[in-house]
Amino acid sequence: MSQQKPGRGKVSRLRDVAAAAGVTPMTVSNVLNGRPGASAETRARVLREAERLSYRPDANARRLRLERTGAIGVVVLDSAPDYLRDPFITNVIAGLGNVAAERAFSLVLQGVRPQAEKMAPLLAQSETDALCLLLSGPRSARERLMSQVERLRQPVVLVQEREAGGLKDICLIRQDDHAGGQILGTHLRGRLPQPGTVFFLTPELAWTAQTERIEGLREGLGKGFRIRTVPCGDESFVATQESLAKALERHPKPVAIVGGNDQMALAAVSLLQARGIAVPEAMPVAGFNGFEMFRYVQPALTTIVSPAYEIGVRAGEEIVARLEQDSFREAEIALPVQLREGGSC
Amino acid sequence: MSQQKPGRGKVSRLRDVAAAAGVTPMTVSNVLNGRPGASAETRARVLREAERLSYRPDANARRLRLERTGAIGVVVLDSAPDYLRDPFITNVIAGLGNVAAERAFSLVLQGVRPQAEKMAPLLAQSETDALCLLLSGPRSARERLMSQVERLRQPVVLVQEREAGGLKDICLIRQDDHAGGQILGTHLRGRLPQPGTVFFLTPELAWTAQTERIEGLREGLGKGFRIRTVPCGDESFVATQESLAKALERHPKPVAIVGGNDQMALAAVSLLQARGIAVPEAMPVAGFNGFEMFRYVQPALTTIVSPAYEIGVRAGEEIVARLEQDSFREAEIALPVQLREGGSC
């Protein structure tokens, strides 16, 4: 068994590792790609020699050998053409893209409008080794898209969903929205002089994360509080303000307003300020997500910070690990969230 | 010449078009891909029959035939890992991505940090047919990246730059920042009771678009006004507020403050409001770019709206056209901008 280190600048190849470990190149390939066949002892020796020789698989050769495309796909289902406007989405994509690049995978991006899934090249052809899905829009469109994805027979990471929708080779990654609601509820309870009704602004379309935020919030607020859900259409600035204005007319004044995301919370702050209602003195407001752009308001919003970038990183890591194994390491992953206090509560 | 229409559900193939037009499949291919050789008459006949038969080139076959990857790459050079945080960038990518998908191209996305260009799979291998570059960061990093891109010998669209940096097969696409500055300057002049100094907040790193905005603003403001440039570090919220605070201490009070982008303008609004200086009454403020998220402040910002999404669409169209011809249709394209009045001036 040869023990020489490779010279300065010399790149170790698969056959160098094989020679050093006293096995065939095929065995090295099997061990490094997690395929069965080698004994535990051989496996350990190959891994030790690969590390000692700083062996790095050549990306292109690896792709050809494995009959892979070397690409990870991201599909964003959204009803609007500017499908990258939500910072949650762009943070996930940036995190995933950075992991992909580090591991020499390309990132293929595809925005899809409901009703037009069949137009999407990524869904019509197998151009990737695995997919990450970011789905918004009506349940029917999400289900149609998932059944199209099923036909591609690729590993899938589904972000911010609780159900696999019939997909089998899948990993669900999300943030812990239930805990986020709880943390915010507990925080609010400690700051409000007395219990009462809290308005929760939510998009018209039911979305699992929103339901979990509400349930967590209810637990965190505890006895004496009730939550009134205020559906805010497409959650745009205008729709949110209109819906909140109507709710304020029709119902007794709430003790606080929580936006299902920061955009809705800030539309609320803006409406209240325009009416001369001081935030937080006359009405505390809080939100969810805490992306950088929402520091740009006075008062800064108290919010539950989303680990969206970390979700993307984790999605990338799980996909890369999956492509080296026969199945995902975990079926479901929930990343923690945290409270960021602003001046709005 | 056969005149039958294809039956319901039947897909027309290249040879159907050839038979209908009475030419060889090669001639059809040449005409559809914009290659020379066919007479004007033949060309017209082929295009007519292709349309009558609803011929759609099979994307995969086309790729093989043309030895293409069927992918368009987007490279974002940025010093931070969350390289999709700027709405200008995400709007360009969404526009480009939608055009790519319509034409059955994949979009490959790559974020690159200065000093780590060699790590980027997109820059190390030819995985795309053409590239769109979105470069921020120091000039040296941009130049290094461009010289790496040069080696790939691919058509390139460069966004928001004035110089091709040695690249030959290139199209420069930008928004008309000079006109934007002029429009805003004229608007401000009409609203200010008397001339004076206008603070212009700009990132520390010189960037062509900023220079053009300043020059246009100077022309629009006209006689009696002067512009003081206030460098604001990395243009973050904190850096902008610190730099503006110092400038306000050191220099006589300006008659207005213009942010080189909306983020900087809003950091200024926030600082002024925190000091009890009313915007616009005591200090008018304006910005550049006008993306949706910045409606979420009071008062809404007067700004020059960026056609970033349209820049992406145009980049996609020019790339697709370039791949069907020998050269780009235009060397330089400037898209118009427009003023959106908020309440901040």
Side-chain angles (χ1 to χ4, degrees), chain B residues 5-335:
Chain B
K5 280 243 177 193
R8 175 191 290 267
K10 184 170 175 295
V11 176
S12 294
R13 305 198 144 266
L14 193 76
R15 57 174 174 265
D16 302 325
V17 181
V23 298
T24 64
M26 178 60 81
T27 301
V28 176
S29 170
N30 285 341
V31 169
L32 295 182
N33 290 299
R35 286 188 290 259
S39 69
E41 194 196 324
T42 303
R43 205 180 141 71
R45 199 163 67 239
V46 166
L47 292 174
R48 198 169 56 234
E49 291 302 320
E51 194 176 338
R52 191 179 64 81
L53 295 169
S54 304
Y55 170 71
R56 295 282 170 277
D58 177 68
N60 267 335
R62 184 159 165 263
R63 283 169 202 176
L64 283 175
R65 202 167 58 238
L66 299 176
E67 291 185 0
R68 289 206 175 137
T69 63
I72 297 170
V74 178
V75 175
V76 182
L77 178 67
D78 194 292
S79 52
D82 58 334
Y83 60 91
L84 296 176
R85 73 189 170 290
D86 186 337
F88 183 88
I89 301 281
T90 54
N91 272 283
V92 171
I93 296 174
L96 173 54
N98 288 331
V99 170
E102 279 162 22
R103 311 298 180 91
F105 281 91
S106 302
L107 190 79
V108 182
L109 178 63
Q110 173 89 69
V112 180
R113 247 99 56 213
Q115 314 299 342
E117 313 95 40
K118 278 169 193 161
M119 298 281 292
L122 255 196
L123 298 176
Q125 297 148 24
S126 275
E127 299 191 336
T128 55
D129 297 330
L131 288 175
C132 174
L133 307 185
L134 292 153
L135 311 182
S136 65
R139 173 175 284 271
S140 58
R142 301 210 302 271
E143 284 172 357
R144 271 203 314 278
L145 193 139
M146 289 214 262
S147 78
Q148 257 199 291
V149 165
E150 199 178 355
R151 271 176 249 141
L152 296 173
R153 302 189 171 279
Q154 288 184 14
V156 170
V157 164
L158 195 50
V159 174
Q160 285 289 76
E161 299 268 350
R162 294 306 295 268
E163 283 165 38
L167 294 171
K168 278 166 200 82
D169 191 0
I170 192 164
C171 171
L172 306 174
I173 305 185
R174 59 187 173 85
Q175 62 193 30
D176 193 343
D177 284 300
H178 186 273
Q182 266 187 322
I183 295 165
L184 188 58
T186 309
H187 178 75
L188 273 174
R189 187 185 59 199
R191 307 215 134 210
L192 295 171
Q194 54 197 33
T197 300
V198 172
F199 278 9
F200 188 92
L201 314 177
T202 179
E204 199 88 38
L205 277 175
W207 192 47
T208 319
Q210 295 290 335
T211 314
E212 304 215 342
R213 288 171 197 174
I214 294 171
E215 282 169 12
L217 188 66
R218 183 172 287 125
E219 286 179 31
L221 286 166
K223 273 198 176 171
F225 285 91
R226 67 180 293 255
I227 294 174
R228 177 178 300 282
T229 303
V230 180
C232 296
D234 64 356
E235 66 184 293
S236 70
F237 189 79
V238 171
T240 303
Q241 292 201 336
E242 284 177 1
S243 306
L244 176 58
K246 274 188 207 150
L248 287 170
E249 271 168 33
R250 285 188 199 156
H251 305 290
K253 198 182 153 206
V255 294
I257 299 175
V258 174
N261 61 33
D262 290 344
Q263 291 94 312
M264 288 188 281
L266 289 169
V269 170
S270 176
L271 177 81
L272 296 168
Q273 288 179 341
R275 294 181 170 198
I277 302 169
V279 176
E281 296 79 1
M283 182 63 69
V285 177
F288 278 86
N289 281 347
F291 298 115
E292 174 69 12
M293 65 177 183
F294 296 115
R295 296 178 60 182
Y296 289 73
V297 286
Q298 283 287 3
L301 203 61
T302 291
T303 188
I304 296 294
V305 178
S306 161
Y309 183 84
E310 289 73 26
I311 288 177
V313 168
R314 190 65 182 268
E317 289 171 351
E318 296 303 321
I319 285 173
V320 170
R322 163 63 190 83
L323 292 174
E324 289 167 359
Q325 311 277 340
D326 284 338
S327 58
F328 278 109
R329 300 186 290 201
E330 291 176 71
E332 223 178 319
I333 295 164
L335 296 186

